[in-house]
Amino acid sequence: MSRKIIRGGLVITATEELRADVLVDGERVAAVAAPEIAEQWVSTADAVLDADGHYVIPGGVDVHTHMQMPFGGTHSSDTFETGTRAAAWGGTTTIVDFAIQPVGGSPREGLDAWHAKADGRCAIDYAFHMILSDVGDEALKEMDTLVAEGITSFKLFMAYPGVFYSDDGQILRAMQQAADNGALVMMHAENGIAIDVLVRQALAAGRTDPRHHAQVRHPLLEAEATHRAIQLSRVAGAPLYVVHVSATEAVAEIARARDGGLSVFGETCPQYLFLTADELARPGFEGAKYVCSTPLRPADHQQNLWRALRTDDLSVVSTDHCPFCFTDQKELGRGDFSRIPNGIPGVENRIDLLHQAVVEGRISRRRWVELACTTPARMFGLHPRKGTIAPGSDADIVIYDPRAEHVLSAETHYMNVDYNAYEGRRVTGAVRTVLSRGDVIVDAGTYQGRAGHGAFLRRDTCQYLV
Ligand SMILES: NC(=O)NCCC(=O)O
Ligand SMILES: [Zn+2]
Ligand SMILES: [Zn+2]
């Protein structure tokens, strides 16, 4: 087993920042100690990684990705191989992707299909949530078995009628099951029935461009669904995690629930923090690159999202990485915005974008780590194995250069998609070295990882529940 020392860096976790060295023994962190104490490790080490002038942070945990996901007549363009490699380049060492129960099929079929896609192909460790798209007696029973297998969270959709949509009765039943088996229900909270009416009206009136995507997906329809999901979860006695929150009015619903002592949690994504609905109105069909749901919002929503991240009304920043190429996939919705495959790429850019928020004074360094690594790991039953740097944790570690500048671009990114949503944006801070379970997989611009290094993680249940 190889012993490595990471020397001279500033170790940042969600709770502290300290000048310390980190001893890695095999796949795990063996010790974190002051440099004078760590001095004695040097003679027994196989490698010393110099982190002078760098931050030493836990590897990122991205709990919302969609690799190779069937959607809108196509598949998201990153495979587990390309997507996890890109994640590694961007300092993320764990993803939790969404397996999908096929309509008319069982969650088990969905899980088997996702294992087949991911097994032997991932560069970093991975786990699955399960999307329930056909809630019935059998699927509800299977939830219990899946929890026992480490699939401890289930996403339901109040949007996309005819695709993933569940009605309120199905949602309530799934929540009741989760209240019994300890699973966490994740909600795509948009009123899909009302949205579909507005979509039909817009198309009939000839409003077919990408910018109408955000207009029909009204903030109040996000807020209404968020409110309804919270009330259903109260009736069921189950906790609730609302994914990709973008609207001020939806944040207010979550804040009110949390102030009332409910186990309700919110996630947002970099696209809602750094991009606005103006992107959808780009010339020609360019706006299609920015079609995702919930949609990008007008600029005034952003300051509320940032504030909610500071007050913990929003607790996690994930990417909802769901890439579709502009040239041949987004194209499917030319002339009808409702046919544009929904999703934005970002798994490679999250750590850098959030660091930019540190540089700009929006969040602290510890909050950066908490939002991107520690809380997602705790929320989804992966902590303390993932999301922190402590004796016994997996040695998933990023050595981060806080001063290096670089420009986000499709020319240089590793995601398998032909555009970057943040094209041309200059950021301060860059990943230098990435360790995944003790192995160096990225170092100084070279990739040393391999498909199949990443292992499937059986997760515990959410650690925020009382
Ligand atoms: N978010 C999005 O636009 N696409 C991925 C599917 C989902 O998360 O709803
Ligand atoms: Zn969603
Ligand atoms: Zn998603």
Side-chain angles (χ1 to χ4, degrees):
M1 271 207 313
S2 141
R3 279 163 74 87
K4 300 182 181 75
I5 304 175
I6 302 173
R7 295 206 77 188
L10 180 70
V11 176
I12 306 172
T13 65
T15 50
E16 58 188 353
E17 301 183 3
L18 63 163
R19 298 251 157 238
D21 295 353
V22 181
L23 177 63
V24 172
D25 199 359
E27 297 196 344
R28 301 276 171 95
V29 173
V32 181
E36 8 355 318
I37 296 169
E39 191 61 47
Q40 64 195 355
W41 303 335
V42 174
S43 59
T44 65
D46 303 298
V48 176
L49 308 179
D50 179 15
D52 189 32
H54 290 66
Y55 299 156
V56 178
I57 61 170
V61 178
D62 189 342
V63 293
H64 192 151
T65 68
H66 300 280
M67 308 299 176
Q68 274 169 273
M69 182 182 86
F71 193 91
T74 184
H75 281 76
S76 57
S77 57
D78 261 318
T79 61
F80 278 89
E81 182 167 348
T82 63
T84 57
R85 189 167 58 215
W89 273 107
T92 285
T93 51
T94 303
I95 60 162
V96 188
D97 201 86
F98 288 85
I100 303 179
Q101 175 199 11
V103 176
S106 66
R108 166 73 51 205
E109 281 171 53
L111 181 60
D112 289 349
W114 255 256
H115 273 304
K117 292 189 219 202
D119 188 27
R121 296 192 175 88
C122 293
I124 55 169
D125 290 353
Y126 63 98
F128 296 131
H129 314 282
M130 172 61 61
I131 288 176
L132 293 177
S133 46
D134 201 348
V135 175
D137 292 343
E138 286 308 309
L140 289 168
K141 259 193 254 144
E142 266 190 30
M143 279 175 77
D144 297 354
T145 341
L146 263 53
V147 169
E149 290 176 31
I151 314 296
T152 55
S153 40
F154 296 83
K155 184 178 178 193
L156 289 133
F157 286 76
M158 301 169 111
Y160 306 134
V163 188
F164 298 134
Y165 176 82
S166 293
D167 67 28
D168 289 353
Q170 291 174 308
I171 290 170
L172 181 64
R173 292 188 75 199
M175 286 175 166
Q176 288 169 330
Q177 199 78 20
D180 276 350
N181 64 28
L184 183 58
V185 170
M186 309 170 76
M187 191 61 70
H188 180 131
E190 286 187 294
N191 186 327
I193 302 288
I195 287 170
D196 268 14
V197 170
L198 297 178
V199 168
R200 283 195 295 276
Q201 289 171 347
L203 295 175
R207 300 195 300 269
T208 59
D209 295 345
R211 71 199 148 98
H212 298 293
H213 174 79
Q215 286 161 9
V216 299
R217 303 188 93 90
H218 198 285
L220 292 177
L221 296 178
E222 183 185 343
E224 183 278 326
T226 304
H227 178 81
R228 190 159 29 105
I230 291 168
Q231 302 312 321
L232 291 169
S233 75
R234 291 176 72 185
V235 171
L240 174 69
Y241 177 95
V242 185
V243 297
H244 48 51
V245 175
S246 62
T248 297
E249 296 86 343
V251 174
E253 295 292 343
I254 293 168
R256 179 150 5 108
R258 291 176 64 75
D259 289 349
L262 300 177
S263 292
V264 171
F265 309 97
E267 159 201 283
T268 192
C269 313
Q271 51 270 36
Y272 307 117
L273 297 165
F274 292 93
L275 303 171
T276 71
D278 289 350
E279 310 290 354
L280 290 156
R282 285 180 176 225
F285 192 56
E286 280 271 308
K289 293 176 178 174
Y290 298 92
V291 165
C292 61
S293 297
T294 59
L296 301 184
R297 299 292 182 195
D300 54 309
H301 291 259
Q302 274 182 358
Q303 66 194 25
N304 292 302
L305 296 178
W306 284 115
R307 193 178 52 144
L309 288 175
R310 285 191 292 272
T311 59
D312 209 38
D313 287 327
L314 296 175
S315 316
V316 170
V317 178
S318 69
T319 58
D320 195 5
H321 175 75
C322 191
F324 294 101
C325 288
F326 179 60
T327 43
D328 54 345
Q329 296 186 294
K330 292 285 185 179
E331 189 63 28
L332 293 168
R334 195 184 278 275
D336 176 351
F337 67 86
S338 72
R339 292 184 185 278
I340 299 169
N342 282 209
I344 287 189
V347 75
E348 190 176 336
N349 301 133
R350 181 182 65 131
I351 298 290
D352 284 339
L353 286 166
L354 283 180
H355 182 258
Q356 194 58 27
V358 174
V359 171
E360 291 168 9
R362 292 181 186 279
I363 53 171
S364 69
R365 292 189 289 216
R366 275 172 267 184
R367 188 65 176 151
W368 171 48
V369 169
E370 190 170 34
L371 291 167
C373 315
T374 318
T375 300
R378 292 189 70 193
M379 191 71 70
F380 292 100
L382 291 166
H383 189 270
R385 184 168 173 194
K386 305 294 187 187
T388 193
I389 299 177
S393 297
D394 279 358
D396 287 7
I397 296 174
V398 174
I399 303 178
Y400 196 81
D401 183 344
R403 277 172 288 274
E405 292 195 0
H406 65 123
V407 174
L408 306 182
S409 173
E411 300 277 298
T412 48
H413 76 201
Y414 293 90
M415 296 177 287
N416 184 38
V417 59
D418 61 0
Y419 74 98
N420 187 298
Y422 309 94
E423 186 67 38
R425 189 178 291 252
R426 177 172 289 278
V427 291
T428 304
V431 169
R432 194 203 72 191
T433 306
V434 179
L435 280 76
S436 167
R437 274 184 288 107
D439 283 0
V440 172
I441 58 171
V442 172
D443 189 40
T446 60
Y447 183 69
Q448 300 173 17
R450 67 175 173 83
H453 164 83
F456 172 69
L457 301 165
R458 294 168 83 103
R459 293 181 291 116
D460 294 332
T461 51
C462 173
Q463 291 158 9
Y464 286 98
L465 310 182
V466 281

